[in-house]
Amino acid sequence: MSEKLIKKLIKLKKKQPDLLEQIKKQLVLFELNENYPSLRNHKLKGEMNEMWSISVGMNFRLIYFIEDNEAYFFECGNHDEVYK
């Protein structure tokens, strides 16, 4: 995880602890099966075509890229924040 993402998650822990728990759950599911249906894992398009997204709830996203067969999460936020 990127330092920027870790800082955002620390802020979420204070402001929205329930959301942080949902994020943890989705990351565990991702580790077990990256194609688990509730993740809605998909490759992005356009300028973000080297990146992927998983969903946390209906509007929150975690963005990552793959390097050397490893997923590196670097951004999170609501749909409009991460796809700006």
Side-chain angles (χ1 to χ4, degrees):
M1 272 190 213
S2 74
E3 214 173 293
K4 177 182 172 184
L5 179 57
I6 291 169
K7 287 179 182 179
K8 281 188 168 186
L9 293 176
I10 289 169
K11 287 181 184 178
L12 275 177
K13 183 178 180 180
K14 295 175 185 175
K15 294 181 180 180
Q16 295 177 287
D18 292 343
L19 178 57
L20 185 63
E21 288 304 313
Q22 288 180 310
I23 291 169
K24 288 178 184 178
K25 179 183 170 192
Q26 293 300 80
L27 289 172
V28 168
L29 287 174
F30 180 85
E31 197 169 321
L32 294 172
N33 177 3
E34 66 188 41
N35 294 311
Y36 194 83
S38 73
L39 296 172
R40 295 188 293 282
N41 191 6
H42 64 282
K43 189 166 176 43
L44 301 177
K45 298 178 183 178
E47 291 180 15
M48 299 178 83
N49 68 352
E50 297 296 320
M51 296 169 222
W52 294 74
S53 174
I54 63 171
S55 296
V56 179
M58 293 306 293
N59 194 39
F60 200 84
R61 305 290 185 268
L62 291 169
I63 308 298
Y64 70 98
F65 64 91
I66 300 171
E67 188 175 290
D68 299 326
N69 291 324
E70 292 288 328
Y72 294 93
F73 288 87
F74 67 95
E75 182 64 275
C76 71
N78 69 42
H79 187 276
D80 294 340
E81 288 172 341
V82 297
Y83 300 133
K84 30 183 160 164

